[in-house]
Amino acid sequence: MSNFIYARSAVGSKYAVEVQVENCLRYAEQMGLKIDGIFQDKGFSGLDNNRPCYSKLLEVAEAGDTIIVSSAGLIHRNMLTLKSLEAKYNLIFLDRAGN
């Protein structure tokens, strides 16, 4: 199984992608997880399915792989899509993991 990090920010967002990645890397280190890839989209809505790095992540990740994200809304804002992702991948949301 592989472990990935996904980070996203919308246009004008103050929640910097770099900070998200740092937090996810810190969590992975604490949990002893080797990160196999980091995917970052800057300036995209969470409702947009045509994000370049989001699309690449879904091409690379296989069922059961772990994807670490700072918050659920950063990977997708559509609840049906989010539930579908949760059914396929081991999604870890740092805001739910107590970090």
Side-chain angles (χ1 to χ4, degrees):
M1 296 291 174
S2 298
N3 304 298
F4 302 102
I5 290 173
Y6 180 74
R8 178 193 64 79
S9 67
V11 175
S13 173
K14 295 180 183 178
Y15 196 42
V17 168
E18 295 79 13
V19 173
Q20 295 174 47
V21 170
E22 287 174 21
N23 291 338
C24 291
L25 285 170
R26 187 176 312 112
Y27 174 85
E29 183 178 337
Q30 290 170 351
M31 301 307 289
L33 300 174
K34 175 190 167 283
I35 297 301
D36 299 293
I38 298 172
F39 298 84
Q40 305 173 51
D41 284 312
K42 295 180 181 179
F44 289 89
S45 165
L47 289 171
D48 186 350
N49 286 326
N50 296 315
R51 294 171 268 155
C53 291
Y54 171 78
S55 297
K56 184 66 176 173
L57 171 62
L58 297 185
E59 288 176 19
V60 172
E62 298 178 359
D65 283 352
T66 297
I67 301 173
I68 304 169
V69 187
S70 290
S71 176
L74 295 172
I75 195 163
H76 215 288
R77 292 221 181 254
N78 179 293
M79 291 307 292
L80 292 176
T81 302
L82 186 57
K83 290 295 180 193
S84 174
L85 293 171
E86 285 181 307
K88 184 172 182 178
Y89 306 107
N90 176 31
L91 298 183
I92 297 174
F93 304 120
L94 296 186
D95 61 345
R96 295 183 189 173
N99 292 306

